[in-house]
Amino acid sequence: MLQLYFWPMACSLASRIALMEAGIEARYHMVHLWTKKVLENDGDFRTVSPKGAVPVLVLENGERLTESAAVLQYVADLKPELGLAPPPGHPDRYRLQEWLSFIGTELHKGFLFPTFWYKDDAALAKPRERIGQNVAIVAAHLAGREYLVGERFTVADAHLAWALTLLRPAGVDVAQWPELAGYLARMQARPQVKAAIGIETQLWKTVTA
């Protein structure tokens, strides 16, 4: 069975969404990202991954895969019949990678990461300046589209749904971009996306109580 190391509402939520959309059972291990402890046994998370970051997907052969883009692609390819990623050789395969990279760098690392980790206004000035421009790029792309890539839900949508869900707590209201607001509502209405967010919202409340 696959194992996913995660922190509630962190970028690893996208991996949970992908696993649940694919109907793949997994064991979930919660990690405290500040202390780097695996909460179920107080183990050192750095022995699982020296990067000390989630997600970490432990494969059935014991190998460990890190970085959201790689984990999401791997999960999608476990169930190719579901179309969670375009097949190899299809032009949209590269569009999927394009969006996974953009979300990971420009939305996640470029804005969400510093917003939740750094509290100094001076340090946050540049990310805040850039986020509107980057989010507007996504909004423009989604005008007249149901999904980021092609005509169906892919793991890129799992990644973006997570990022947009966190924008409001980070101080950005997606209602400024009607295309994004509509898209996020559609994604959050998907049964597995809704269930995954619900699970991690409750876990977040537990660990921050």
Side-chain angles (χ1 to χ4, degrees):
M1 181 179 288
L2 297 176
Q3 301 176 62
L4 182 71
Y5 286 81
F6 75 100
W7 173 244
M9 301 307 291
C11 58
S12 48
L13 172 56
S15 297
R16 183 189 290 270
I17 291 171
L19 287 165
M20 292 178 67
E21 285 278 350
I24 297 172
E25 292 187 8
R27 296 192 186 99
Y28 294 88
H29 306 285
M30 188 158 57
V31 173
H32 197 297
L33 288 188
W34 285 267
T35 65
K36 306 301 180 185
K37 293 293 185 180
V38 181
L39 296 187
E40 65 194 50
N41 57 18
D42 203 36
D44 185 353
F45 180 48
R46 292 183 187 87
T47 65
V48 178
S49 173
K51 294 178 179 178
V54 294
V56 177
L57 186 69
V58 182
L59 311 185
E60 292 186 351
N61 64 4
E63 293 186 14
R64 294 161 188 176
L65 190 62
T66 64
E67 305 299 332
S68 288
V71 171
L72 291 169
Q73 185 73 74
Y74 182 87
V75 171
D77 287 345
L78 288 176
K79 294 287 187 76
E81 69 276 11
L82 298 180
L84 291 172
H90 193 287
D92 279 347
R93 182 87 168 187
Y94 309 105
R95 296 300 180 190
L96 180 79
Q97 292 301 320
E98 181 180 29
W99 282 112
L100 289 175
S101 297
F102 184 85
I103 296 162
T105 57
E106 303 303 325
L107 299 187
H108 178 194
K109 295 296 186 179
F111 179 71
L112 290 171
F113 185 89
T115 297
F116 283 100
W117 285 80
Y118 308 135
K119 302 305 181 185
D120 180 77
D121 283 339
L124 290 171
K126 188 178 289 283
R128 284 173 173 159
E129 181 180 339
R130 293 180 56 190
I131 188 60
Q133 178 182 358
N134 289 334
V135 171
I137 291 171
V138 184
H141 175 76
L142 284 170
R145 294 174 180 264
E146 292 289 312
Y147 304 103
L148 266 181
V149 178
E151 302 299 324
R152 62 191 305 169
F153 182 94
T154 68
V155 291
D157 295 299
H159 205 186
L160 182 58
W162 161 75
L164 296 181
T165 296
L166 260 66
L167 279 183
R168 179 171 289 174
V172 177
D173 190 350
V174 297
Q176 300 173 67
W177 300 274
E179 299 89 352
L180 283 184
Y183 169 87
L184 181 57
R186 293 194 303 274
M187 295 302 105
Q188 291 181 337
R190 293 179 66 87
Q192 298 302 333
V193 176
K194 182 178 181 179
I197 293 173
I199 290 168
E200 297 215 355
T201 298
Q202 288 302 314
L203 289 171
W204 173 255
K205 291 177 180 178
T206 299
V207 297
T208 58

